[in-house]
């Protein structure tokens, strides 16, 4: 999985846009939904296709956002959509119709597959199902999830009730997260001398490694974070960017990471946040946010004081 990918051949941006997924043209959106309907029909399930979801006669609803983004971002273009959609629909139905893992796995097997997952708060189902989830930063939630062979299942409060205390389960999940291999790591260097690191991989928990950032940074960089912490960004589930704060290079790094996060978040499957955060001892505060068609960097007095100190240290 590369950081920067050449996009597939698409309808021109001037073409009328799809009302739900603006990265599609109207024609592309129609093709996509038609193929989704066909994929369900091939498995004997008639569905009603709406703009962003499909629903079957039993009231089950299947969101289309992530699948649409995956199709949109595949550089091979529309020719591969039918196979991708059939594969996705097959996995979804096997997961929903097959034995439920909370009923078939032993307690030890569940704990071995348990991970914390950072998601955009707006993507969660009704709040009461995940009220146990922490808010590591504005707009983000941390929930517990099972890593299954064909899916990642986020666990509601009710499904955790028989496993023990959430705090104890979270400790086990964090330990599982620390033990994951680093699938890929790249350093992004800019012409102004600034740089930042990007961890990337196919794991759905790649971005969630921000929860164990201190361990991850020391593992990759060979040195621990200082008390000033790091800049972090989680554009989507398969990327985590960070810049350990040592000196005044944090200023251009912040600008570069803000652009990187906003670009990576747009149209991404598993999108998390377009913003950059200041990470210190596990706490995160937001430093950037979209502003119309651009970006706006917003720092608090504490961050400003740190910048002034770092600049003075280099004087």
């Amino acid at each position: 999985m590369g950081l920067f990918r050449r996009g597939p051949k698409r309808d021109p941006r001037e073409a009328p846009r799809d009302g739900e997924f603006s990265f599609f043209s109207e024609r592309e959106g129609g093709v996509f939904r038609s193929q989704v309907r066909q994929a369900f029909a091939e498995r004997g399930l008639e569905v009603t296709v709406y703009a962003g979801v499909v629903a079957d006669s039993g009231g089950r609803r299947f969101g289309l956002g992530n699948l649409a983004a995956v199709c949109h971002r595949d550089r091979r273009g529309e020719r591969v959509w039918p196979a991708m959609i059939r594969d996705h629909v097959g996995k979804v139905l096997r997961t929903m119709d097959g034995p439920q893992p909370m009923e078939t796995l032993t307690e030890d097997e569940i704990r071995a597959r348990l991970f914390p997952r950072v998601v955009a708060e707006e993507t969660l189902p009704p709040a009461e199902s995940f009220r146990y989830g922490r808010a590591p930063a504005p707009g983000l939630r941390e929930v517990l999830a099972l890593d299954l062979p064909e899916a990642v299942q986020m666990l509601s409060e009710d499904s955790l009730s028989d496993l023990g205390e959430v705090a104890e389960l979270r400790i086990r999940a964090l330990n599982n997260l620390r033990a994951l291999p680093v699938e890929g790591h790249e350093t992004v260097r800019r012409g102004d001398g600034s740089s930042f690191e990007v961890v990337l991989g196919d794991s759905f928990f790649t971005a969630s490694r921000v929860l164990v950032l201190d361990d991850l940074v020391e593992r990759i960089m060979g040195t621990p974070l200082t008390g000033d912490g790091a800049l972090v960004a989680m554009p989507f589930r398969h990327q985590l960017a960070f810049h350990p704060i040592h000196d005044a290079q944090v200023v251009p790094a912040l600008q570069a990471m803000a652009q990187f996060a906003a670009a990576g978040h747009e149209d991404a499957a598993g999108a998390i946040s377009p913003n950059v955060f200041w990470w210190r001892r596990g706490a995160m505060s937001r430093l950037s946010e979209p502003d119309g068609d651009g970006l706006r960097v917003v720092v608090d007095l504490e961050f400003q004081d740190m910048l002034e100190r770092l600049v003075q240290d280099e004087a």
Side-chain angles (χ1 to χ4, degrees), residues 174-175 177-178 208-217 279:
L174 288 170
N175 288 336
L177 187 65
R178 290 186 181 94
S208 300
R209 299 178 83 141
V210 71
L211 300 173
V212 291
L213 187 72
D214 44 359
D215 294 279
L216 181 68
V217 170
W279 186 101

Side-chain angles (χ1 to χ4, degrees), residues 6-251:
R6 179 179 298 174
K9 183 178 181 181
R10 306 302 307 275
D11 288 347
R13 291 297 301 180
E14 296 76 27
R17 311 316 296 170
D18 183 83
E20 180 72 16
F21 306 121
S22 60
F23 46 76
F24 282 154
S25 68
E26 283 185 359
R27 183 197 65 80
E28 291 166 340
V31 169
F32 169 75
R33 293 183 182 88
S34 175
Q35 292 175 353
V36 168
R37 181 187 288 110
Q38 178 64 28
F40 276 100
E42 289 174 0
R43 291 185 168 268
L45 192 62
E46 293 298 324
V47 295
T48 302
V49 182
Y50 300 98
V53 299
V54 299
D56 66 11
S57 59
R60 296 185 302 181
R61 295 168 70 85
F62 309 88
L64 297 178
N66 282 342
L67 178 58
V70 168
C71 289
H72 162 68
R73 292 171 71 89
D74 195 291
R75 68 184 70 189
R76 296 169 295 178
E78 287 180 40
R79 64 185 176 85
V80 301
W81 289 6
M84 294 173 63
I85 292 170
R86 284 195 298 270
D87 180 64
H88 177 84
V89 168
K91 290 179 180 178
V92 167
L93 293 179
R94 285 193 297 273
T95 300
M96 296 191 71
D97 295 338
Q100 294 304 299
M102 297 297 287
E103 299 173 357
T104 59
L105 296 176
T106 67
E107 185 171 319
D108 286 343
E109 288 172 333
I110 290 173
R111 289 170 178 265
R113 294 174 178 268
L114 196 63
F115 290 86
R117 185 175 179 190
V118 175
V119 298
E121 189 169 24
E122 63 188 22
T123 65
L124 282 175
E128 58 269 19
S129 299
F130 293 92
R131 59 188 175 185
Y132 72 88
R134 298 171 61 253
L140 304 180
R141 292 288 292 278
E142 176 198 330
V143 299
L144 294 175
L146 280 182
D147 189 17
L148 303 171
E150 289 194 320
V152 169
Q153 178 181 337
M154 292 191 294
L155 300 177
S156 66
E157 188 166 350
D158 289 342
S159 65
L160 294 171
S161 59
D162 293 333
L163 292 178
E165 295 294 327
V166 170
E168 187 274 330
L169 294 173
R170 180 174 184 264
I171 291 173
R172 177 58 186 266
L174 288 170
N175 288 336
N176 291 342
L177 187 65
R178 290 186 181 94
L180 285 178
V182 176
E183 296 180 65
H185 164 233
E186 299 184 22
T187 301
V188 178
R189 302 188 187 279
R190 309 273 292 191
D192 57 12
S194 65
S195 66
F196 58 92
E197 313 300 320
V198 181
V199 176
L200 58 161
D202 292 329
S203 169
F204 276 42
F205 305 103
T206 301
S208 300
R209 299 178 83 141
V210 71
L211 300 173
V212 291
L213 187 72
D214 44 359
D215 294 279
L216 181 68
V217 170
E218 187 163 7
R219 181 174 175 181
I220 291 175
M221 308 300 291
T223 55
L225 291 170
T226 70
D228 290 329
L231 304 178
V232 296
M234 300 141 283
F236 62 108
R237 63 194 179 205
H238 301 296
Q239 283 188 356
L240 168 64
F242 65 87
H243 172 84
I245 298 175
H246 297 294
D247 52 36
Q249 284 295 315
V250 64
V251 177

